[in-house]
Amino acid sequence: MTITRIDPEHRMSEAVVHDQTVYYTSVPENLDEDAEAQTANALAVIDRILTRVGSDKSKILDATIFLVDKADFPAMNRAWDAWVSPGNAPVRCTVQAGLMNPKYKVEIKIIAAL
């Protein structure tokens, strides 16, 4: 089985592909925005990486959303609901978590099929 590491660095890779499965964690790029805008941005980043490896959001199998403030849950869900592929929603869980960058309001980890 081949393991393909996308943009590998010493500490981590951008994404990893193994056995027709993509593993990726997205963080927002727009760190001065609110939770809804950060979520929408992190989801757009997911779209970009999935396209790069030959997949798309309809093939996401599992998503874990790390949310700093549980009060942002409705805002995060608005961005998610506007983005998720109709009829192809993955298994999803959302957890409240302290994230390493104090400007992050959300971080999203996905597993997708190719």
Side-chain angles (χ1 to χ4, degrees):
M1 296 268 164
T2 301
I3 298 173
T4 303
R5 299 181 194 284
I6 310 300
D7 299 337
E9 295 182 7
H10 176 72
R11 181 169 288 154
M12 60 186 272
S13 295
E14 180 70 11
V16 175
V17 178
H18 174 261
D19 197 23
Q20 299 296 303
T21 306
V22 182
Y23 302 85
Y24 180 68
T25 301
S26 181
V27 295
E29 298 170 336
N30 56 344
L31 300 183
D32 294 323
E33 300 292 334
D34 65 13
E36 187 170 355
Q38 281 197 17
T39 302
N41 179 255
L43 294 168
V45 173
I46 289 171
D47 283 334
R48 286 198 309 259
I49 197 72
L50 289 175
T51 297
R52 182 174 170 191
V53 299
S55 188
D56 63 67
K57 66 185 171 186
S58 74
K59 297 178 183 174
I60 297 175
L61 306 169
D62 182 53
T64 302
I65 301 172
F66 302 91
L67 196 60
V68 172
D69 186 344
K70 65 182 177 182
D72 287 333
F73 190 65
M76 178 277 299
N77 272 327
R78 283 191 299 274
W80 177 271
D81 291 346
W83 173 83
V84 72
S85 176
N88 297 302
V91 171
R92 189 190 100 169
C93 76
T94 304
V95 296
Q96 186 176 10
L99 301 177
M100 294 300 103
N101 185 325
K103 289 189 167 193
Y104 289 164
K105 297 183 185 317
V106 65
E107 188 168 337
I108 304 169
K109 182 171 180 45
I110 60 119
I111 300 170
L114 284 183

